[in-house]
Amino acid sequence: MLNGLDWIVVLLYLVSMVAIGFIANKKVSGYEDHILSGRNVPTYYLAPCLLTTQIGASSIVGYVAQCYNIGFSGGWWIIGNIFTFIILGILGAKQLRRATDAKTLPQWFEIRYDKKSRLFTAVTTVIAEVAFTAGQVVGGAALLSLVFGWSLLTSIIVFCLVVAIYSVFGGLWAVFLTDFVQMIVMIIGLSAVVFVGLQTCDGLENLHSLVPETHFNLIQTGEVGTVIASVLYAIPAIFCSFDIIQKVMAARTPDTARNSCFWASGLVIFFAITIPLIGILALAILGPNVGNTDSLLANLIIEILPTGLKGLAIAAILATLMSSTDACLMAASSVMTNVIIPLCTDFNSWAESKKRNSSMICTAVLMVICFILAVALPNALSAMELAWTALSCGAFIPMIFGLLWKKASSTGAFASMCIGSIVGLTWNFAGNPFGLRPVIPAYIVSIIIMVVFSLIKPQIMSKEQEIASGIIES
């Protein structure tokens, strides 16, 4: 367990996150500052934030457990993000940043297609982001409970309060600033685990003799299909995640948005190497019979790291959880205030200060909802999986076609969304027949529906619509 110095390191980390929220509040003078950082975020903040949002708790805690079981081949989803950030930079980043009339991804769908598409993406986005936030809260609370010995309820309260305070007061600026710090903490903490772990195993060469030889295979026998599916799954995980797209829209310029994606791609390489290696080290040091693999990383840290570094490494895990939690919370809040609330109020006529305050209140209310879900439904991630399946299977193909094919129509988009979601959810409930993830059959059907309906009922975009949706420069 942690001793006095480790406690101080972790508590200092938590306090610093809260302090950054109040510092960031000074940058928030209006509504757009709160949800998009005034669209003035430079590359050195944006690239780390894209990385920490995408490579969150499920990537580190979850994939350490997966690589503990099967080695390097368990980390292909992380490796896939090297390519997906590049794809986002090439195909979507500049276009989405140029769409200055859109403050959210659902708004972009409305500009490119119609209000039905906006409503579909808004509802599925809010459900997915709230459920994912609740799932991250559960993960963060479990970690605090494990290392501090607190009750789960106390741990949930502490975790929610820290994230809520800096997110509510600092808005997206606080997310950028805290994620910048969190990336540094993550890199130092994970590097310490790898370095000390290799020393404990007497070096990399000796590590080979302590685990099955297949753990160092990049692709296991018969797993090519799983690798392809993991990479394919990572692509919509970026394009359909408003917690990612929101940050792209906040870039200082379209070029900043694109270049930040490329830098984030390079930063992924560190995690693509260290996370599988930590899983293999856990197998060598902790043995093959660890009961709860979700606590592997925390147990490894407690087992091998010296005082001080132990606290820093625990802070690194908290950083992965908080960087995903705050991003998802702000994404849900932004969609609520910018898409859902205007459906029943005259939101657009409100003063900037009133809009900003409503965004702060909405962020706080959503955090309370996530707290309730985390306490009442600790398996909230299962709900996230369903909402995410509906969003990614439904929205990804219309989004890509909307960026690349001017003839993509609103009729084709909405039909593709509805049928793609139905196929994805049905495939999920059927237990993923043939070992295929829902996205694969859903994409095949969505592409056919999108093309056929767009050709049957085409939609000719005006130059104004092309400019507003960012497809061409003004």
Side-chain angles (χ1 to χ4, degrees):
M1 298 297 290
L2 303 188
N3 62 22
L5 180 59
D6 296 314
W7 273 71
I8 292 172
V9 171
V10 176
L11 291 175
L12 277 176
Y13 166 75
L14 294 174
V15 170
S16 69
M17 294 298 101
V18 174
I20 288 173
F22 288 105
I23 293 170
N25 182 254
K26 297 179 181 180
K27 290 177 170 285
V28 181
S29 59
Y31 174 61
E32 192 161 295
D33 284 339
H34 196 262
I35 69 167
L36 284 176
S37 304
R39 297 189 196 265
N40 193 35
V41 180
T43 299
Y44 55 81
Y45 281 143
L46 181 53
C49 195
L50 290 173
L51 172 78
T52 55
T53 300
Q54 186 70 356
I55 308 296
S58 61
S59 302
I60 293 184
V61 177
Y63 284 97
V64 163
Q66 190 161 317
C67 294
Y68 168 87
N69 290 317
I70 62 176
F72 268 98
S73 63
W76 265 101
W77 185 86
I78 301 170
I79 297 172
N81 282 292
I82 297 172
F83 309 109
T84 53
F85 272 121
I86 293 173
I87 293 171
L88 177 60
I90 294 172
L91 299 184
K94 291 183 72 171
Q95 295 92 317
L96 291 165
R97 175 56 183 86
R98 285 200 298 253
T100 53
D101 289 341
K103 292 183 175 68
T104 64
L105 185 58
Q107 273 190 310
W108 181 86
F109 272 93
E110 179 180 14
I111 293 170
R112 178 60 182 86
Y113 293 119
D114 56 18
K115 291 183 178 180
K116 296 194 298 293
S117 301
R118 179 191 69 176
L119 186 60
F120 175 94
T121 52
V123 172
T124 52
T125 294
V126 170
I127 293 173
E129 300 288 10
V130 167
F132 195 83
T133 303
Q136 298 296 297
V137 168
V138 172
L143 176 64
L144 290 175
S145 179
L146 175 67
V147 299
F148 289 139
W150 297 340
S151 70
L152 186 61
L153 179 60
T154 300
S155 301
I156 289 174
I157 292 171
V158 171
F159 190 88
C160 285
L161 277 176
V162 171
V163 176
I165 289 172
Y166 74 72
S167 298
V168 169
F169 286 99
L172 196 62
W173 266 122
V175 173
F176 278 113
L177 295 175
T178 54
D179 280 8
F180 180 81
V181 174
Q182 285 163 348
M183 186 195 71
I184 295 172
V185 173
M186 287 161 63
I187 290 175
I188 295 174
L190 294 178
S191 297
V193 174
V194 171
F195 181 75
V196 176
L198 287 174
Q199 282 190 323
T200 304
C201 294
D202 295 324
L204 184 60
E205 186 174 342
N206 193 56
L207 178 62
H208 278 265
S209 66
L210 298 175
V211 299
E213 185 179 346
T214 55
H215 268 55
F216 286 89
N217 293 344
L218 198 55
I219 301 177
Q220 297 280 7
T221 304
E223 292 293 319
V224 174
T226 302
V227 168
I228 294 172
S230 296
V231 175
L232 288 176
Y233 196 64
I235 297 174
I238 285 183
F239 274 89
C240 292
S241 296
F242 181 55
D243 45 339
I244 294 287
I245 301 303
Q246 182 180 24
K247 295 169 180 58
V248 170
M249 289 178 165
R252 180 169 287 172
T253 66
D255 285 338
T256 300
R258 179 198 60 197
N259 294 340
S260 296
C261 291
F262 296 155
W263 278 107
S265 172
L267 291 169
V268 171
I269 296 173
F270 169 82
F271 294 91
I273 295 171
T274 56
I275 292 173
L277 191 53
I278 289 172
I280 295 171
L281 286 167
L283 176 62
I285 296 169
L286 302 178
N289 298 315
V290 174
N292 180 14
T293 55
D294 286 340
S295 62
L296 268 174
L297 181 54
N299 288 335
L300 184 63
I301 289 169
I302 292 170
E303 177 77 20
I304 67 172
L305 291 188
T307 299
L309 274 181
K310 192 178 297 183
L312 184 63
I314 292 296
I317 306 178
L318 282 172
T320 69
L321 290 155
M322 288 187 176
S323 62
S324 295
T325 305
D326 57 25
C328 295
L329 180 64
M330 285 303 303
S333 174
S334 299
V335 173
M336 282 292 295
T337 56
N338 215 51
V339 180
I340 306 296
I341 291 178
L343 293 176
C344 49
T345 67
D346 191 19
F347 182 82
N348 293 328
S349 67
W350 291 0
E352 278 294 300
S353 58
K354 186 177 180 180
K355 289 181 180 179
R356 180 199 62 203
N357 292 338
S358 70
S359 180
M360 295 172 69
I361 292 170
C362 188
T363 304
V365 169
L366 287 173
M367 190 75 256
V368 172
I369 293 172
C370 292
F371 167 78
I372 294 171
L373 286 173
V375 172
L377 299 170
N379 61 340
L381 275 175
S382 61
M384 180 277 294
E385 182 69 25
L386 293 178
W388 172 247
T389 297
L391 177 62
S392 60
C393 291
F396 176 63
I397 296 302
M399 184 175 184
I400 293 297
F401 272 77
L403 289 167
L404 302 178
W405 191 35
K406 293 182 181 181
K407 292 183 180 180
S409 71
S410 57
T411 302
F414 190 68
S416 177
M417 285 179 180
C418 294
I419 297 175
S421 294
I422 292 171
V423 170
L425 290 171
T426 302
W427 202 267
N428 182 283
F429 286 122
N432 298 338
F434 311 111
L436 297 178
R437 284 188 169 184
V439 292
I440 295 178
Y443 289 171
I444 293 171
V445 173
S446 292
I447 290 171
I448 295 171
I449 295 296
M450 186 77 202
V451 172
V452 170
F453 276 70
S454 293
L455 292 176
I456 292 174
K457 194 172 182 181
Q459 176 179 321
I460 305 301
M461 295 180 69
S462 65
K463 186 174 181 180
E464 290 74 17
Q465 189 181 8
E466 291 179 353
I467 292 172
S469 59
I471 294 175
I472 64 171
E473 294 185 66
S474 58

